[in-house]
Amino acid sequence: MRSARVGAAGLKARIQVTRTGRSGQEPLRATARNDILRGDCVGLMQTLASSSVDLVFADPPYNLQLANALTRPDQSLVDAVDDDWDKFADFGAYDAFTRDWLGEARRLMKPTATIFVIGSYHNIFRVGAIMQDLGFWILNDIVWRKNNPMPNFRGRRFTNAHETMIWAARDADSKNYTFNYEALKAANEDCQMRSDWLLPLCTGGERLKDGAGRKTHPTQKPEALLGRVILSASKPGDLVFDPFFGTGTTGAVAKRLGRDWLGLERDEDYAAAAQARIAAVEPLPYDVIAAAPSKRSEPRIAFASLVEAGLIQPGAALTDAKRRHVALVRADGALSLSGFVGSIHKTGALAQGLPACNGWTFWHYEEKGALAPIDDLRVEARARLRVAAE
């Protein structure tokens, strides 16, 4: 990740680009899918259709500014990132490059798209400020906490044990972006997914290596990280775009999870490794990756609709789970509680002496001697609607 092979025949021959932009490419009529375009990321992005991608994951150069070789206490060399693609003349050059690629990425994003940008303390604060200047709306900063970080060999700083991801919408008016809240919560033992993610570095059999046993790419990201990103903010069939494709972790995970993908990469060796890696991936069965139903996307059902559908009868008694309070169902769909008439929510709040209440889970009906929340009846009503629509 962090550096942009042309799958489309003929495009390879047309592209002669630099880090700063295009050099006379013919515009693409539509954004490609499931392909690696080889060349400079900014120039290639300029050829792609506006508002065409659903999710962006970007792992740009960190501009690590390594002045000297890093050594361990035994004086052995650390395999640090010293590639040319991570070197910039100064902060001004890095900021200009960042502004260029982020501006193009924003243009490519659909109004409902979001973007994840990962970085370290060397660059992420500069990236974040530029994102805000360009109009992105930051939704979260996510800390990837590494449970196996590289130690600080010189003992002059804290061990650098995390990287930061900025998650942002295209602009402040983006309201309908994808966030699979319910699925994430269910996977996290019914607790909201937090913004600190404890995940290991890419090691073992997942790490790509060349014939001599050396790392193919110095900063290959773990598939678990990309898996959480893609499952969080996209749906099957969406196009996931990575302008710094590297060895193709984004494409491999996207393919496995039933998403389309597009990567840009200028290093031929990285692109070739990514192509072979992705070709070997088998997509998961659809029933394993299908988007979990979202309560927010389900049709709104009023309690009165349950009465009208005969799922609960006027005059029926509702109680809380401990049978401390009893309310009667009225013919108009309101509840009557000790002379007060109101909605299921207001009567539930009154019964508890609270300012608010979720009446769907507070009030219960009795069937065959057992209590069940009236929310079960709402689920049944929605199921009937789906059947009627088929």
Side-chain angles (χ1 to χ4, degrees):
M1 328 189 54
R2 304 221 297 257
S3 118
R5 193 162 174 161
V6 174
L11 183 59
K12 180 178 179 181
R14 297 203 306 267
I15 295 178
Q16 298 294 328
V17 295
T18 67
R19 188 173 240 162
T20 57
R22 79 164 76 194
S23 179
Q25 305 100 311
E26 300 172 19
L28 296 180
R29 294 186 178 181
T31 297
R33 285 177 177 257
N34 305 317
D35 205 353
I36 305 173
L37 305 184
R38 305 184 190 184
D40 166 71
C41 69
V42 176
L44 287 173
M45 280 193 279
Q46 290 172 344
T47 70
L48 303 179
S50 299
S51 301
S52 58
V53 304
D54 300 287
L55 175 64
V56 180
F57 176 81
D59 185 10
Y62 286 8
N63 192 25
L64 294 178
Q65 311 130 43
L66 295 179
N68 301 298
L70 296 178
T71 59
R72 299 181 178 87
D74 63 2
Q75 299 307 305
S76 61
L77 286 175
V78 176
D79 186 13
V81 180
D82 57 0
D83 303 78
D84 288 341
W85 50 256
D86 196 59
K87 297 176 181 177
F88 293 79
D90 50 35
F91 285 130
Y94 184 79
D95 291 350
F97 168 68
T98 301
R99 192 171 292 107
D100 287 346
W101 78 257
L102 277 171
E104 284 300 313
R106 187 168 182 267
R107 180 184 64 81
L108 297 181
M109 292 168 62
K110 294 178 181 178
T112 54
T114 57
I115 180 173
F116 287 80
V117 185
I118 190 168
S120 69
Y121 65 88
H122 302 87
N123 71 323
I124 199 63
F125 304 108
R126 310 185 76 86
V127 170
I130 291 170
M131 291 179 75
Q132 290 180 314
D133 289 344
L134 291 173
F136 288 97
W137 186 254
I138 295 178
L139 301 169
N140 277 113
D141 63 324
I142 298 166
V143 174
W144 168 30
R145 189 159 61 96
K146 306 169 185 177
N147 55 9
N148 54 345
M150 181 183 294
N152 183 266
F153 294 109
R154 293 177 179 173
R156 302 290 295 172
R157 303 183 184 185
F158 297 106
T159 297
N160 186 24
H162 77 277
E163 294 183 30
T164 300
M165 282 191 297
I166 295 173
W167 182 41
R170 199 177 74 168
D171 53 55
D173 295 327
S174 301
K175 305 299 182 186
N176 296 318
Y177 54 86
T178 298
F179 179 53
N180 298 314
Y181 170 82
E182 286 87 1
L184 293 169
K185 184 177 180 181
N188 197 39
E189 299 184 356
D190 290 323
C191 294
Q192 290 186 346
M193 185 65 72
R194 292 160 51 111
S195 61
D196 54 334
W197 298 357
L198 179 62
L199 298 168
L201 290 165
C202 179
T203 57
E206 185 182 325
R207 170 69 76 170
L208 300 189
K209 296 182 179 180
D210 62 20
R214 297 183 297 255
K215 298 175 184 176
T216 301
H217 195 292
T219 63
Q220 181 181 333
K221 295 298 182 287
E223 292 190 4
L225 180 70
L226 268 297
R228 191 170 294 183
V229 165
I230 291 171
L231 289 171
S232 298
S234 70
K235 301 183 291 291
D238 280 355
L239 178 59
V240 182
F241 174 65
D242 186 338
F244 306 97
F245 204 55
T247 51
T249 302
T250 300
V253 176
K255 181 180 177 182
R256 183 174 295 113
L257 295 176
R259 277 71 168 169
D260 289 336
W261 55 272
L262 176 65
L264 311 182
E265 178 53 56
R266 69 180 190 175
D267 186 287
E268 289 289 333
D269 291 336
Y270 294 163
Q275 194 79 59
R277 176 187 186 183
I278 296 169
V281 170
E282 290 292 334
L284 291 169
Y286 182 76
D287 58 348
V288 174
I289 61 170
S294 168
K295 291 182 178 179
R296 296 180 183 180
S297 64
E298 292 178 332
R300 184 178 180 275
I301 301 291
F303 183 70
S305 300
L306 306 186
V307 178
E308 293 164 353
L311 291 173
I312 193 162
Q313 298 298 321
L318 301 183
T319 182
D320 64 293
K322 295 184 178 181
R323 300 182 184 272
R324 294 171 298 184
H325 310 282
V326 178
L328 295 180
V329 178
R330 290 166 46 92
D332 58 8
L335 298 188
S336 175
L337 175 68
S338 302
F340 174 80
V341 175
S343 69
I344 57 174
H345 309 298
K346 288 186 177 180
T347 52
L350 178 66
Q352 300 173 90
L354 297 175
C357 168
N358 182 350
W360 290 109
T361 56
F362 178 76
W363 291 115
H364 290 61
Y365 70 101
E366 184 171 345
E367 185 173 355
K368 296 180 181 179
L371 291 179
I374 58 174
D375 199 31
D376 288 359
L377 299 176
R378 181 168 62 162
V379 171
E380 183 176 345
R382 283 177 171 145
R384 291 184 181 186
L385 285 175
R386 284 193 291 270
V387 171
E390 292 175 354

